[in-house]
Amino acid sequence: QVQLVESGGGSVQAGGSLRLSCAASGFSFSIYAMAWFRQAPGKEREFVAAAGWMGGNIYYADSVKGRFTFSRDNAKNMVYLQMNSLHPADTAVYSCAADASGLVSTLRQSYASWGQGPPVPVSS
């Protein structure tokens, strides 16, 4: 019943911005931890940003800190990732993830539910 559907992916030039959205359904959204991960071709899936239940604690990977902003709207069952000052190194498939424990984690193993993963190619 858990469903996570991402949108907002697409091509962008270096220095540009995109806003990714994740629509959640089928679970008690407000008590779940939510996160964004990404995976570049031939690379391991890596942590991008996450928040615990109610969105109180937000953590960012060092590679995106200061450029990306995670936000959460519990009333709408939505999470967002605002990506600014994009680099070619940000090129990846981005995925939304959810964890029933409600505790924020940077580890992909902590998340049991995953979205489809929109691609974000960043050209130089």
Side-chain angles (χ1 to χ4, degrees):
Q1 291 183 335
V2 175
Q3 291 187 348
L4 301 171
V5 181
E6 301 97 337
S7 61
S11 61
V12 63
Q13 290 185 321
S17 299
L18 282 176
R19 183 180 176 88
L20 302 181
S21 300
C22 175
S25 63
F27 63 99
S28 299
F29 178 80
S30 63
I31 65 173
Y32 272 60
M34 300 295 298
W36 288 97
F37 287 78
R38 67 185 183 184
Q39 186 171 25
K43 303 291 186 180
E44 296 286 335
R45 190 185 303 273
E46 66 175 352
F47 169 78
V48 176
W53 72 305
M54 298 298 181
N57 298 315
I58 302 175
Y59 295 85
Y60 296 94
D62 288 342
S63 60
V64 306
K65 194 175 300 182
R67 299 188 296 119
F68 290 11
T69 302
F70 178 100
S71 61
R72 178 172 188 162
D73 188 338
N74 287 335
K76 297 181 178 180
N77 287 5
M78 297 285 292
V79 292
Y80 307 93
L81 186 68
Q82 178 67 44
M83 304 185 293
N84 299 327
S85 301
L86 285 162
H87 305 152
D90 295 317
T91 296
V93 172
Y94 286 73
S95 298
C96 179
D99 172 38
S101 76
L103 302 177
V104 67
S105 174
T106 63
L107 303 176
R108 60 183 179 272
Q109 295 88 345
S110 298
Y111 298 90
S113 301
W114 296 83
Q116 296 174 352
V120 180
V122 183
S123 62
S124 60

